[in-house]
Amino acid sequence: MPLTDPDRLFPTEPRLRDLARALYEPVADLPIISPHGHCDPRWFAENARFPNPAELFVVPDHYVFRMLISQGVPPTDLGIPRADGGATETDPRKIWRRFAAHYHLFRGTPSAMWLDHSFEHVFGLDEVLSADTADAYYDHIDAKLAEDAFRPRALFDRFGIEALATTESALDDLRWHKMIRDSDWPGRVITTYRPDAVVDPEFEGFAENLDRLGELTGEDCTTWEGYLNAHRARRAIFKEMGATASDHGHPTARTEDLAPADAKALFATVRRGRCTAEEADAFRGQMLTEMARMSLEDGLTLQIHAGSHRNHSAQMFARHGRDKGFDIPRRTDWVGGLKPLLSAVGLEPGLTIIPFTLDESTYGRELAPLAGAYPALRLGPPWWFFDSFEGIRRFREATTETAGFYNTAGFNDDTRAFCSIPARHDVARRSDCAYLAQLVATGRLREADAHEVAHDLTYRLAKDAYKL
Amino acid sequence: MPLTDPDRLFPTEPRLRDLARALYEPVADLPIISPHGHCDPRWFAENARFPNPAELFVVPDHYVFRMLISQGVPPTDLGIPRADGGATETDPRKIWRRFAAHYHLFRGTPSAMWLDHSFEHVFGLDEVLSADTADAYYDHIDAKLAEDAFRPRALFDRFGIEALATTESALDDLRWHKMIRDSDWPGRVITTYRPDAVVDPEFEGFAENLDRLGELTGEDCTTWEGYLNAHRARRAIFKEMGATASDHGHPTARTEDLAPADAKALFATVRRGRCTAEEADAFRGQMLTEMARMSLEDGLTLQIHAGSHRNHSAQMFARHGRDKGFDIPRRTDWVGGLKPLLSAVGLEPGLTIIPFTLDESTYGRELAPLAGAYPALRLGPPWWFFDSFEGIRRFREATTETAGFYNTAGFNDDTRAFCSIPARHDVARRSDCAYLAQLVATGRLREADAHEVAHDLTYRLAKDAYKL
Amino acid sequence: MPLTDPDRLFPTEPRLRDLARALYEPVADLPIISPHGHCDPRWFAENARFPNPAELFVVPDHYVFRMLISQGVPPTDLGIPRADGGATETDPRKIWRRFAAHYHLFRGTPSAMWLDHSFEHVFGLDEVLSADTADAYYDHIDAKLAEDAFRPRALFDRFGIEALATTESALDDLRWHKMIRDSDWPGRVITTYRPDAVVDPEFEGFAENLDRLGELTGEDCTTWEGYLNAHRARRAIFKEMGATASDHGHPTARTEDLAPADAKALFATVRRGRCTAEEADAFRGQMLTEMARMSLEDGLTLQIHAGSHRNHSAQMFARHGRDKGFDIPRRTDWVGGLKPLLSAVGLEPGLTIIPFTLDESTYGRELAPLAGAYPALRLGPPWWFFDSFEGIRRFREATTETAGFYNTAGFNDDTRAFCSIPARHDVARRSDCAYLAQLVATGRLREADAHEVAHDLTYRLAKDAYKL
């Protein structure tokens, strides 16, 4: 018996289900555009085999292991590295068995959907993962991973990926991207300019990061002008490695548009290393506007991921470091936050700014009205912990009536779990078609138009918004 | 093929659809009560023909033209007047063609629904608007507009409007309303007292507006007592022109109930013209409570439209002035904001206060609990950018369980697009019947009661709340 | 004709309805776990008859009488006691008639559902309550209440209640609980430790309450150490009366984790009786963390009910005192608020903290991500004015995808209306099964797993979270 239902996520009422299926079929196998995510470019550069099932599915994915932690499983039982370098589980089979024994925790979650999809469609498994089947699963997946057909480039091709963007720090040497570019493999894996480490005065090692930025570019990063030029130089290098976008992870949506002298003075303050939290926040906000201005020059699309309270648990951060599943969303004020940036460049039709929110209450109230007015804005898809049917439904229901479809930016998978990519895009395609079927059946959209919209949501809007 | 589906907005499951249709049929043709909106009374006073299709559907409606602007169409291509008096498109056919060529942008939006409804039901068109059909549309509509049957009064009668409230500034001379009253036409078009220009210290020309208020009423508007009496005098004049309500558009829901001496001192400060933003906000809040007290005297229903950040784009405001589609909702604190007003007069059963929100997160959390407790409150329908099926559904689902149906105020179309009135009321009737059908089919409401509720939501509640 | 539909709250699409019914049937008659509520323990201690229909259904239930007040019925017409001891209605039949005459106000509300359920299933009535049937209803219910089978203990047994927790002030003498324990009746009625009166510096009589706490425990409540020990002593007494949990009703979710010397100093300030609002808030926040630490010692589950603006109407409070239906929810910041507490003890797997929110916008944004990460958190069911189908649906749809089912705490009825208990648990069971059926039919959950989850949500999760 298959792990996944061929009609999953479609409406249950027969007429609606038929409509959804009819809309889905022509888009089901369209190429995948993945314009934002966190895959490791090294996979595609070296094309080495993935080490084992635990390191493919559990250890690197904080959305998987945090569910076990939330039910009392110690992080070290799952092989999470310790900040003090102390002992953690190293036997991947033991980690896998613990994961399997707790698999019921994922019932009803998008993680269960994409894991089952990968188990079935990538690895050909057809039994449910559990403590009983843990070893059989491990052996089966491990054997597959040894085959050439399961190396990163082979899977990339099999998944039908037309373009995949990874995300690198502004200080990254982009060596893996160079290796991919210089190889004979035609897969399109591109980078994205993510300068948080040199834009956020509260980032660990900010001062040293700026020194390093100066070394990399030959610019004088002790001056505001030099610092901005260093960004320009790095953006140009990233563009050479295929980048069509920058990305910015900020705690709030605040932007600033200070007079040049004030911006210069603020830079001097944060450069000195003793700024207040307020000054740090203002500086991040100013830099979003500076980045938007650079986008007007070099054409990079500007992505803003705002509103995550990172590393919420002080204990977890002390024991295991950053990005361990304790990023928690907060309320986000997009209307007040983006006003300085939008007043500066929001009417520029040549600019594309894509906001991503974790605060769903802003979809209908703030983001759809903003995107439905400003030419520079295209709404990002529902940034959330998983690729979620309900999340996509709420996004469409809350934004379409105000902003329409054409002020949105298509789908992002935003994943570091490579095997989940086909599953996530499939969820988005099915969820969108389910929504469109509902519109058609209730007289809100003509069926012929719905087919065109389905294609646009799946393929064209992402290509346009990211210039891919 | 008709542009609109006769079963539009009804649920798709056959039993539910039959129930919804059965609830809808008896209310489908009830007279229209339109107790709040922005139609121009001059239309009904002069009864001249509408000039052309572009000026009927595109130029005056910022919910239509902002969608085109959001996709990069320059406002001057759509005939939007410039603040500097410079050139803008004057050929209505060219404007119409641009609108038609971008009509796909409205897919899935309520604008598309009411436009199609008007095209079909008001003008008898049956082809989809597009670049190809733009000229045929233009010629057809333009010819109709030349007929007597398409003049404002004829359409008013044909639409089955029992009462239509417009909204005028406290300083308006109400000449068009006088003309309507003095004519032999029996249509009921009434005014609404909207004193923002003389209540909001941040309104353009506030000091001059107060001088003008003094001239109009013969009251001394340099004193707090004279100023309040001037409001009383204007309210009395508006009542003579049929007003049964006042309306207040405020950036927040803040109210105040200051001691008389403090209120007097605050008035002196704002009158002087140099108040802080905080003082301006406090004054607006105080005036809501003063208006509620006047409502206790003269019986006008008090409407509060709070939470819109008006003219968000500084550039658009500078180039084209106010109300150009860049009003963006913000979070609104109704619980804290209304407390002073409600503590003063909230238990008065003779008073009716109707709050309208753009912050849907307050429906269930704040507004329904407040309306479900205070006798003076009746919830306004979902104030939003369009008359939206999803918006109405969310409103009912979030408020009914706490406040019931009888603490709501029926439907408002709130439109300046005259031809959209029948379409919008039809959307509300269908959406409410779809919701009621769901309640009946899941054992939450008896069918006989649902019929009574459908009639109340369509007709009686609005008449009661506005004393029409 | 029965008052309630046997298929109520199930989806209407036939396949879904069959699935929901199949999931519901095995859990429909499981014993009731009621781990949090406000029943009066005296009922079960004395086992006297309930006095009359009005005092059973109307006078004590502010969710019932506030609906009538909201439509202009004076509180004294409903027998609500006056703060000044003045006259209020004393004839229960007159109160009942007024309630009956306004019963249409409850259309579409959960109150109507549970009242009809009680009328039919507890009292055997089959006509709709109205002005016409008011007297027949009154006589019928009054006669039933005179029967032994309608005394509190008999109903408790008939309702199939396995455990019922009441809520008592930290200063309560628990005499009724002692009487129940010392009786020969085996029903499990337990208390809950609710220390608001001695934890909230803004509570009426806070200083005297602390004196009383000192007397009750023999601890010196003028010192921080003595005060904490007094809590420990009271918690131990409550545990003897069966308590497995404490409960805390706070205006915000703020917590603090001050250094010991700072906590001591803050206590000295609030003890002196002249603290600021900010200090009172900080003290309440500090006490949540202290209570969590005591929970680590004594094993009591910690419940937090945060975000209610109590006694919103100053007039109603002055005329009729606290808890008269004017508690209004406000926005709640759980992410910032709980951070100090969670950083102190959030990773403790032996601790259970159950947050309840009235701010639904935090379900998906804040509470599900927190509960999906911290081992100490289990999400409380949707705390709201009634047991609401839509509320439960929104809760599941917003939390399951992020936190799964196993980071939730089962159902609470949270009621003071004893006869509503079976109705409310039935609503929860039906609503959960409707949700699960939807997951199964759309391929998001296997049917066998759904049966297990239905049982867990109905029974096991509440027992586990409350150690019952």
Side-chain angles (χ1 to χ4, degrees):
Chain A
M1 183 172 154
L3 291 177
T4 60
D5 179 342
D7 277 332
R8 64 192 175 280
L9 305 184
F10 291 155
T12 51
E13 200 270 309
R15 186 179 149 226
L16 273 178
R17 177 158 287 199
D18 288 346
L19 262 171
R21 211 189 274 121
L23 290 165
Y24 170 70
E25 268 161 22
V27 303
D29 297 316
L30 284 177
I32 286 176
I33 305 293
S34 177
H36 173 67
H38 299 274
C39 284
D40 189 341
R42 182 173 183 178
W43 297 334
F44 309 104
E46 298 193 320
N47 202 31
R49 67 157 275 174
F50 289 105
N52 59 61
E55 284 182 65
L56 185 64
F57 283 113
V58 185
V59 183
D61 192 336
H62 48 275
Y63 302 133
V64 169
F65 67 68
R66 77 173 177 77
M67 181 63 96
L68 277 66
I69 291 174
S70 80
Q71 289 276 320
V73 178
T76 46
D77 275 14
L78 300 169
I80 314 303
R82 284 166 52 170
D84 64 4
T88 192
E89 181 64 70
T90 54
D91 181 342
R93 186 177 291 268
K94 285 189 184 159
I95 294 170
W96 183 262
R97 284 177 185 161
R98 286 174 191 134
F99 168 58
H102 288 87
Y103 195 57
H104 66 284
L105 298 178
F106 295 96
R107 282 175 186 163
T109 69
S111 296
M113 277 209 83
W114 79 252
L115 286 162
D116 282 351
H117 187 279
S118 293
F119 296 156
E120 177 182 340
H121 293 277
V122 182
F123 291 98
L125 289 154
D126 60 5
E127 273 192 300
V128 178
L129 179 62
S130 69
D132 291 341
T133 58
D135 278 341
Y137 253 78
Y138 189 93
D139 294 335
H140 179 93
I141 294 172
D142 201 49
K144 288 288 183 195
L145 292 178
E147 296 177 17
D148 281 348
F150 287 79
R151 288 183 184 251
R153 291 181 184 178
L155 288 177
F156 185 100
D157 296 340
R158 180 174 151 197
F159 293 167
I161 299 174
E162 181 176 318
L164 176 78
T166 67
T167 304
E168 272 76 44
S169 161
L171 302 176
D172 194 278
D173 62 12
L174 302 182
R175 75 160 82 168
W176 307 117
H177 284 280
K178 286 197 190 82
M179 230 171 116
I180 295 166
R181 193 190 53 174
D182 298 343
S183 76
D184 57 0
W185 180 61
R188 186 171 183 196
V189 176
I190 62 180
T191 187
T192 303
Y193 187 63
R194 172 95 171 209
D196 298 1
V198 291
V199 152
D200 176 5
E202 295 176 328
F203 207 95
E204 302 99 286
F206 177 67
E208 295 73 31
N209 296 342
L210 259 57
D211 294 343
R212 177 86 189 108
L213 181 65
E215 289 161 28
L216 278 171
T217 58
E219 298 286 344
D220 177 5
C221 283
T222 64
T223 72
W224 176 231
E225 293 75 14
Y227 169 73
L228 292 179
N229 282 332
H231 276 291
R232 286 188 186 96
R234 292 303 294 158
R235 292 168 66 103
I237 300 283
F238 274 66
K239 279 189 76 173
E240 278 178 39
M241 290 302 128
T244 67
S246 70
D247 182 34
H248 307 269
H250 283 207
T252 72
R254 174 175 181 176
T255 66
E256 291 289 347
D257 185 24
L258 302 174
D262 295 335
K264 192 171 176 168
L266 181 58
F267 176 74
T269 303
V270 305
R271 186 64 175 110
R272 226 176 285 126
R274 290 249 201 82
C275 68
T276 63
E278 158 62 21
E279 287 162 341
D281 204 45
F283 185 73
R284 288 187 295 260
Q286 178 65 23
M287 284 309 296
L288 281 179
T289 306
E290 298 295 344
M291 289 289 147
R293 290 209 184 90
M294 290 185 201
S295 284
L296 275 174
E297 298 166 8
D298 64 17
L300 293 187
T301 290
L302 178 78
Q303 301 174 94
I304 305 176
H305 285 85
S308 177
H309 185 303
R310 307 212 176 241
N311 311 307
H312 187 268
S313 169
Q315 272 188 328
M316 184 60 73
F317 185 70
R319 291 180 195 167
H320 296 282
R322 59 165 48 230
D323 294 336
K324 290 299 174 290
F326 285 74
D327 292 357
I328 312 287
R330 293 193 83 167
R331 270 204 309 265
T332 302
D333 172 14
W334 289 97
V335 173
L338 293 187
K339 189 174 159 61
L341 184 154
L342 290 174
S343 286
V345 296
L347 299 184
E348 297 286 348
L351 177 65
T352 303
I353 300 171
I354 304 179
F356 295 85
T357 196
L358 292 168
D359 181 353
E360 291 184 298
S361 74
T362 65
Y363 283 157
R365 188 181 60 214
E366 306 185 18
L367 288 170
L370 288 168
Y374 283 100
L377 283 179
R378 292 289 176 276
L379 281 190
W383 180 30
W384 206 245
F385 284 176
F386 305 101
D387 294 298
S388 111
F389 172 80
E390 301 291 349
I392 291 170
R393 183 180 60 76
R394 284 192 294 262
F395 173 75
R396 292 284 175 218
E397 289 181 357
T399 63
T400 306
E401 293 193 322
T402 301
F405 293 108
Y406 296 100
N407 286 306
T408 64
F411 185 63
N412 279 196
D413 56 70
D414 197 7
T415 192
R416 62 198 72 225
F418 182 49
C419 286
S420 76
I421 289 179
R424 289 173 195 258
H425 285 261
D426 188 62
V427 163
R429 292 168 190 198
R430 287 171 180 269
S431 303
D432 281 339
C433 289
Y435 173 69
L436 293 172
Q438 184 73 42
L439 294 190
V440 171
T442 54
R444 290 184 273 168
L445 186 66
R446 292 183 186 86
E447 192 167 351
D449 291 350
H451 278 284
E452 202 173 304
V453 173
H455 188 276
D456 290 341
L457 299 183
T458 301
Y459 187 73
R460 193 180 61 82
L461 286 171
K463 278 182 76 109
D464 284 1
Y466 289 90
K467 301 181 184 167
L468 287 168
Chain B
M1 184 170 153
L3 292 176
T4 60
D5 179 342
D7 278 331
R8 62 193 176 280
L9 305 184
F10 292 154
T12 50
E13 200 271 309
R15 184 180 150 225
L16 272 177
R17 176 158 285 201
D18 288 345
L19 263 170
R21 212 190 274 120
L23 290 165
Y24 169 71
E25 268 161 21
V27 302
D29 296 318
L30 283 177
I32 286 176
I33 305 295
S34 176
H36 173 68
H38 299 275
C39 284
D40 188 341
R42 182 174 184 175
W43 297 334
F44 309 105
E46 299 194 319
N47 202 32
R49 66 157 278 174
F50 289 106
N52 59 60
E55 283 181 67
L56 185 65
F57 284 113
V58 184
V59 183
D61 193 336
H62 48 274
Y63 302 133
V64 170
F65 67 67
R66 74 173 180 76
M67 181 63 96
L68 276 65
I69 292 175
S70 79
Q71 290 276 320
V73 178
T76 45
D77 275 13
L78 300 169
I80 313 303
R82 282 167 53 170
D84 63 4
T88 192
E89 180 64 69
T90 54
D91 181 343
R93 189 177 290 269
K94 284 190 186 156
I95 294 170
W96 183 262
R97 283 177 187 161
R98 283 173 191 134
F99 167 57
H102 288 86
Y103 195 58
H104 66 283
L105 297 178
F106 294 96
R107 284 175 185 163
T109 69
S111 296
M113 277 210 82
W114 80 251
L115 287 163
D116 282 350
H117 188 280
S118 293
F119 297 154
E120 177 182 342
H121 293 278
V122 182
F123 291 97
L125 290 153
D126 60 3
E127 272 193 300
V128 178
L129 179 63
S130 69
D132 290 342
T133 59
D135 279 339
Y137 253 77
Y138 188 91
D139 295 332
H140 179 93
I141 295 173
D142 202 45
K144 289 287 181 193
L145 292 178
E147 298 178 18
D148 282 348
F150 287 80
R151 286 180 186 257
R153 292 182 184 175
L155 287 176
F156 185 99
D157 295 340
R158 178 174 153 199
F159 292 169
I161 299 175
E162 181 176 316
L164 176 79
T166 67
T167 304
E168 272 75 44
S169 161
L171 302 175
D172 194 279
D173 61 13
L174 303 182
R175 76 161 80 165
W176 308 116
H177 283 280
K178 283 195 193 86
M179 232 172 113
I180 295 167
R181 195 190 50 174
D182 297 343
S183 76
D184 57 359
W185 180 60
R188 187 173 182 195
V189 176
I190 62 180
T191 185
T192 302
Y193 186 62
R194 173 93 172 212
D196 298 3
V198 289
V199 151
D200 176 4
E202 295 175 328
F203 207 95
E204 302 97 286
F206 177 68
E208 295 72 32
N209 296 341
L210 260 58
D211 294 342
R212 176 89 188 107
L213 180 65
E215 289 161 27
L216 277 173
T217 58
E219 298 286 346
D220 177 4
C221 283
T222 64
T223 72
W224 176 231
E225 294 76 13
Y227 169 73
L228 292 180
N229 282 333
H231 277 290
R232 285 190 187 93
R234 291 305 293 160
R235 291 168 67 103
I237 300 282
F238 273 67
K239 278 188 76 174
E240 278 177 41
M241 291 301 128
T244 67
S246 69
D247 182 35
H248 306 270
H250 283 206
T252 72
R254 175 176 181 176
T255 65
E256 290 291 346
D257 185 23
L258 301 174
D262 294 336
K264 194 172 173 164
L266 182 58
F267 176 74
T269 303
V270 304
R271 188 64 175 108
R272 224 175 289 129
R274 289 251 200 81
C275 68
T276 63
E278 158 61 22
E279 287 163 341
D281 204 45
F283 185 73
R284 287 187 295 259
Q286 178 65 23
M287 283 310 296
L288 280 180
T289 305
E290 298 296 343
M291 288 289 146
R293 289 210 182 89
M294 290 186 200
S295 283
L296 275 175
E297 298 166 8
D298 65 17
L300 293 187
T301 290
L302 178 78
Q303 302 175 94
I304 305 176
H305 285 87
S308 177
H309 185 302
R310 306 213 176 238
N311 311 308
H312 187 269
S313 169
Q315 272 188 326
M316 184 59 74
F317 185 70
R319 291 180 196 167
H320 296 281
R322 59 167 46 231
D323 296 335
K324 291 295 173 291
F326 285 73
D327 292 357
I328 312 288
R330 293 193 83 166
R331 271 204 309 264
T332 302
D333 172 14
W334 290 98
V335 173
L338 293 187
K339 188 175 161 60
L341 185 155
L342 290 174
S343 285
V345 296
L347 300 184
E348 297 287 348
L351 177 65
T352 303
I353 300 169
I354 305 180
F356 296 84
T357 195
L358 292 169
D359 181 353
E360 292 185 296
S361 74
T362 66
Y363 284 159
R365 187 181 62 213
E366 306 185 19
L367 287 171
L370 288 168
Y374 283 100
L377 283 178
R378 292 291 176 274
L379 280 190
W383 181 32
W384 207 245
F385 285 176
F386 305 100
D387 294 300
S388 110
F389 172 81
E390 301 291 348
I392 292 172
R393 183 180 60 76
R394 285 192 294 262
F395 174 75
R396 294 283 174 218
E397 289 181 357
T399 63
T400 306
E401 294 195 321
T402 300
F405 292 107
Y406 294 101
N407 287 306
T408 63
F411 184 63
N412 279 197
D413 54 70
D414 197 5
T415 191
R416 63 196 72 225
F418 183 48
C419 286
S420 75
I421 289 180
R424 288 173 196 257
H425 285 262
D426 188 62
V427 164
R429 292 168 191 198
R430 288 170 180 270
S431 302
D432 282 339
C433 289
Y435 173 68
L436 293 171
Q438 185 73 43
L439 294 190
V440 171
T442 54
R444 289 184 275 168
L445 185 65
R446 290 180 190 89
E447 192 168 351
D449 291 350
H451 277 284
E452 204 174 302
V453 172
H455 188 275
D456 291 340
L457 299 182
T458 300
Y459 187 73
R460 193 179 62 81
L461 286 171
K463 277 180 78 106
D464 285 2
Y466 288 90
K467 302 181 184 168
L468 288 169
Chain C
M1 184 171 153
L3 292 176
T4 60
D5 178 342
D7 277 332
R8 62 193 175 280
L9 305 185
F10 291 155
T12 49
E13 200 272 307
R15 183 178 151 226
L16 273 177
R17 177 157 284 200
D18 289 346
L19 261 171
R21 211 189 274 121
L23 290 165
Y24 170 70
E25 268 161 20
V27 303
D29 298 316
L30 283 178
I32 286 175
I33 305 293
S34 177
H36 173 68
H38 298 275
C39 284
D40 188 342
R42 185 174 182 174
W43 297 335
F44 309 104
E46 297 193 319
N47 201 33
R49 65 157 277 174
F50 289 106
N52 59 60
E55 284 183 66
L56 185 64
F57 283 113
V58 184
V59 184
D61 193 336
H62 49 273
Y63 301 132
V64 170
F65 67 67
R66 74 171 180 77
M67 182 62 95
L68 277 65
I69 292 174
S70 79
Q71 289 278 318
V73 178
T76 46
D77 275 13
L78 301 169
I80 313 304
R82 283 167 51 170
D84 64 5
T88 194
E89 181 63 70
T90 55
D91 181 341
R93 187 178 292 268
K94 285 190 184 156
I95 295 170
W96 184 262
R97 284 178 187 159
R98 284 172 191 136
F99 168 56
H102 288 87
Y103 195 56
H104 66 283
L105 298 178
F106 294 96
R107 283 174 185 163
T109 69
S111 297
M113 278 210 83
W114 79 252
L115 286 163
D116 281 350
H117 188 279
S118 293
F119 297 155
E120 177 181 342
H121 292 277
V122 181
F123 291 97
L125 290 153
D126 60 5
E127 273 192 298
V128 177
L129 180 62
S130 69
D132 291 339
T133 59
D135 279 340
Y137 252 78
Y138 189 92
D139 294 335
H140 179 93
I141 294 172
D142 202 47
K144 288 288 183 195
L145 293 178
E147 297 178 17
D148 282 350
F150 286 80
R151 287 179 184 257
R153 290 182 184 175
L155 288 177
F156 185 100
D157 295 341
R158 180 174 150 199
F159 292 166
I161 299 174
E162 182 177 315
L164 177 78
T166 67
T167 303
E168 273 76 43
S169 160
L171 302 175
D172 193 279
D173 61 12
L174 302 182
R175 77 161 79 168
W176 308 116
H177 282 282
K178 285 196 190 82
M179 233 172 110
I180 296 166
R181 192 190 55 175
D182 296 343
S183 76
D184 57 0
W185 180 61
R188 188 173 183 195
V189 176
I190 61 180
T191 186
T192 302
Y193 187 62
R194 173 94 172 213
D196 297 1
V198 291
V199 152
D200 176 4
E202 295 175 329
F203 207 95
E204 302 97 285
F206 178 67
E208 295 73 31
N209 295 343
L210 258 57
D211 294 343
R212 178 84 188 111
L213 180 66
E215 288 160 28
L216 276 172
T217 58
E219 298 287 346
D220 177 4
C221 283
T222 64
T223 72
W224 176 233
E225 293 76 14
Y227 169 73
L228 293 178
N229 281 332
H231 276 291
R232 286 188 186 96
R234 292 305 293 160
R235 292 168 66 103
I237 300 282
F238 272 67
K239 278 189 75 173
E240 276 177 39
M241 291 302 128
T244 67
S246 69
D247 182 34
H248 307 270
H250 284 206
T252 72
R254 175 176 181 175
T255 65
E256 289 291 345
D257 186 22
L258 302 174
D262 295 335
K264 195 170 173 166
L266 181 58
F267 176 74
T269 302
V270 303
R271 188 65 176 107
R272 227 176 284 127
R274 292 250 201 81
C275 67
T276 63
E278 158 62 22
E279 287 162 341
D281 204 47
F283 186 73
R284 288 187 295 261
Q286 178 64 22
M287 285 308 296
L288 281 180
T289 306
E290 298 296 343
M291 289 289 147
R293 290 209 182 90
M294 290 187 202
S295 284
L296 275 175
E297 297 166 8
D298 65 18
L300 292 187
T301 290
L302 177 80
Q303 300 175 93
I304 305 176
H305 285 85
S308 177
H309 185 301
R310 306 211 177 242
N311 311 308
H312 187 267
S313 169
Q315 272 188 327
M316 184 59 75
F317 185 70
R319 292 181 194 167
H320 297 282
R322 60 166 47 231
D323 295 336
K324 290 297 172 289
F326 285 73
D327 292 358
I328 311 289
R330 294 193 81 167
R331 271 204 308 266
T332 303
D333 172 12
W334 289 98
V335 172
L338 293 187
K339 188 175 160 64
L341 185 154
L342 290 174
S343 285
V345 297
L347 299 183
E348 298 286 347
L351 176 65
T352 303
I353 299 169
I354 305 179
F356 295 85
T357 198
L358 291 170
D359 182 353
E360 292 185 295
S361 74
T362 66
Y363 283 158
R365 187 181 61 213
E366 305 185 18
L367 287 170
L370 288 168
Y374 283 101
L377 282 179
R378 292 290 176 276
L379 279 190
W383 180 32
W384 206 247
F385 285 176
F386 305 100
D387 295 301
S388 110
F389 173 79
E390 300 292 348
I392 291 171
R393 182 179 61 75
R394 285 193 292 262
F395 174 75
R396 293 284 175 218
E397 288 181 359
T399 64
T400 306
E401 294 193 322
T402 300
F405 292 108
Y406 295 102
N407 286 307
T408 64
F411 184 63
N412 280 198
D413 54 70
D414 196 5
T415 192
R416 60 198 72 224
F418 183 47
C419 286
S420 76
I421 290 180
R424 287 173 197 258
H425 285 263
D426 188 62
V427 164
R429 290 168 192 197
R430 286 171 182 269
S431 302
D432 281 340
C433 288
Y435 173 68
L436 293 171
Q438 185 72 42
L439 294 190
V440 171
T442 53
R444 290 183 275 168
L445 186 65
R446 288 178 191 91
E447 191 167 353
D449 291 350
H451 278 283
E452 204 174 301
V453 172
H455 188 277
D456 291 340
L457 299 182
T458 301
Y459 188 75
R460 193 178 63 80
L461 286 171
K463 279 181 76 109
D464 285 2
Y466 288 90
K467 302 183 185 165
L468 288 168

